[in-house]
Each structure stands twice: as C-alpha cells, then as structure tokens.
Amino acid sequence: MKFSIVSAIRPFDTLVFFILFLLIPVFSALAEPDLVTDRPDQTESSAVIAPGYIQIESGITRAEADDYAVTESLGTLVRIGLVDRLELRLGIEGWIDDEAVDSQGFGDSNIGVKYYLWDENGWIPESALLAGVCIPTAKNTFEGKRFDPGQECSCRATSVRWAGSYTLTDRLSAGINIAAAWECYKGGEGDRHFDAKMPYSAVLGISVTDRIGCFVEFFDESAVNPGGKPANLFDGGFTWLVTDTFQLDIAGGTGVSDEADDWFAGAGLSYRFKQ
C-alpha cells in the first residue's frame, strides 16, 4: 500500500492545521509594528525602524519672513531598519526656491543613524540617540562644498541629538529633543562661517482617535555664538493613519521671536514597507 501523508493525519488534526493556515495573515498583521514617524513635527521620535523595514517620509513646506519667502518641496527622509535598535537615515533636502537670494535648486543631502538606547521606566523617558553628517550634493547658493557635521549646509542633519519620550496616558504622549549642531554659511566674500547651535524642542501628542492624532510643539534654533539671537517657534498639526503602513499629515507654525520665520506651513506623507 502506498503511504499518504494526508491519510496519516487524523481528520481533527487536519482541521486544526487548516484553521491555523487561514490565520497566518491575521498573525502577521498582529506582528506588524506600529507606524511611528519623525514628521510633521520638529521633534524626532525615540522609536527606530524594525529590521527588515524601510520607511519613507516626504513633504513640502513653505516658510515666510519679513523680507523673503522660501519654498521647499519634496524634502524626503528614508529610514532603513538595519539591526535591532539601529536604523540608517538618508535625507534629501529636495527642491528649494529661495526668494531672499532669488535662487532655485536642490539642497544638500545628509546621512545618519538612530540608535535606541532604553525603554521608558518611571521618570526615565524612552530614549534614542541620533547622529548625522551633511553631504554636499547641492549647487550654487545651496551648496555645502564639503562634508560637515552640520545643522544646515543647507541641509538640516544635526551632529548629535538626544530624543526622549513619555507615555502619559492611553491618548497622551510627550517628546523632548536636545541637540548639538553647527550651521555653515558663506559670508559676503565667499568665506565660510560656522554657527554653533543647541536646538531643542518639546511636543505634546494627542490621539484623537485610533487613526487621527494632533500635536502642539515649541522649538528653538538659536545660535549659541556670541551675539546669537533666539529663534523660537510654535507649531501644531494633524496626522491621519490611512492604513497601518500609510499616513498623511499637515502642520503649520509661527515664530515668536524676531529671528524666527513669521510663519510656515506644510503637508506630507509617510509609507512603510518590508525589504
């Protein structure tokens, strides 16, 4: 008699196996990590991308000040989960239209990493450390000329940033960032100057529903060099988790000091997929 695997399995076991097979998609969905983004607020999250995933976060922003307006479109951050606790970050400044100097072009890029330090424990916040350098890929006005551990070359990668977060309630969370950074720029004679900065931010996030969230935030980009003036801003916005892997967002803010932009507004999207 020929041996048959099917005939060797009892009918009850076959039924159990068939049910478990049908539930595989359900188990996979349950294992899917939450979508946590680093936009649209200025405060970087303490969460990292899980190994085997890639997350793309992109958006357009317009900022205006007293005597100029800057339009930046298609700025993109690609986050890649490398190993447990560590992600690679590739930033593209995108197309910039700077009316202050009547110039258009692509901004610089940046590369960095985010490392998850520890979980939240009482008054100790969940924490991560970010580090990055500027890659001079721009042309003309937006050119960085060389590799810089900078805040802007014109790129916006900070050299070192600590990101902490608290879970206050089921619907309420808080985040804090403190960074050390450098901003490089060209002087009137073409020479380069550096402004040391210590950017910081604090954000309060609210889960309005399981799919809709909002936030309010205060942040500062002041130089700490002698004569540096405060550049304080306040902003807020909304996020809509369309699916478990796709999110839309909108945000806007206003400056509360003379050195800051008068106002800015933007919108974007984030999408995650497996490698």
Side-chain angles (χ1 to χ4, degrees):
M1 183 179 73
K2 294 182 179 180
F3 178 76
S4 171
I5 295 179
V6 176
S7 62
I9 301 177
R10 292 176 297 176
F12 178 76
D13 294 335
T14 302
L15 178 61
V16 172
F17 177 80
F18 181 70
I19 293 174
L20 291 175
F21 178 78
L22 293 178
L23 287 176
I24 287 177
V26 177
F27 294 148
S28 299
L30 292 176
E32 187 78 13
D34 292 337
L35 182 66
V36 180
T37 66
D38 282 348
R39 59 163 301 117
D41 58 4
Q42 307 298 314
T43 305
E44 308 284 14
S45 70
S46 56
V48 298
I49 302 300
Y53 287 89
I54 297 176
Q55 188 162 302
I56 300 175
E57 305 178 10
S58 184
I60 179 172
T61 303
R62 179 177 179 85
E64 291 194 3
D66 293 335
D67 55 355
Y68 69 92
V70 178
T71 299
E72 173 187 335
S73 65
L74 299 180
T76 300
L77 172 65
V78 180
R79 305 169 60 188
I80 304 172
L82 298 179
V83 296
D84 188 34
R85 293 177 175 262
L86 181 66
E87 72 175 48
L88 175 67
R89 300 165 65 87
L90 304 173
I92 304 170
E93 188 73 4
W95 183 264
I96 301 174
D97 179 5
D98 192 337
E99 297 180 11
V101 291
D102 191 24
S103 181
Q104 297 177 342
F106 285 97
D108 287 313
S109 302
N110 57 78
I111 183 171
V113 295
K114 182 194 287 190
Y115 181 73
Y116 187 86
L117 296 174
W118 54 69
D119 297 335
E120 182 178 357
N121 184 12
W123 62 269
I124 300 176
E126 179 183 80
S127 297
L129 191 66
L130 296 87
V133 294
C134 183
I135 303 175
T137 57
K139 295 182 179 180
N140 302 326
T141 305
F142 308 110
E143 193 170 31
K145 295 292 187 183
R146 62 187 178 192
F147 286 91
D148 290 308
Q151 164 85 1
E152 292 183 307
C153 303
S154 60
C155 72
R156 302 187 177 213
T158 58
S159 58
V160 180
R161 178 187 295 260
W162 170 76
S165 63
Y166 287 101
T167 301
L168 304 178
T169 69
D170 292 340
R171 297 283 184 181
L172 199 62
S173 62
I176 305 170
N177 278 189
I178 300 175
W182 293 264
E183 176 180 321
C184 54
Y185 61 94
K186 292 181 180 179
E189 299 180 357
D191 53 335
R192 292 169 63 87
H193 300 274
F194 287 86
D195 276 343
K197 287 189 173 185
M198 289 193 67
Y200 62 85
S201 62
V203 63
L204 184 66
I206 304 170
S207 297
V208 181
T209 69
D210 292 339
R211 295 281 178 179
I212 297 176
C214 65
F215 72 91
V216 290
E217 178 185 43
F218 179 84
F219 63 99
D220 176 84
E221 297 181 347
S222 303
V224 295
N225 293 2
K229 297 180 180 180
N232 303 317
L233 300 99
F234 175 84
D235 69 337
F238 292 87
T239 60
W240 175 28
L241 189 62
V242 182
T243 71
D244 291 340
T245 59
F246 179 66
Q247 177 178 283
L248 297 175
D249 63 65
I250 186 170
T254 182
V256 293
S257 62
D258 292 338
E259 290 298 308
D261 292 331
D262 288 345
W263 63 269
F264 68 92
L269 56 86
S270 302
Y271 177 68
R272 184 187 63 209
F273 57 92
K274 288 187 177 181
Q275 299 183 34

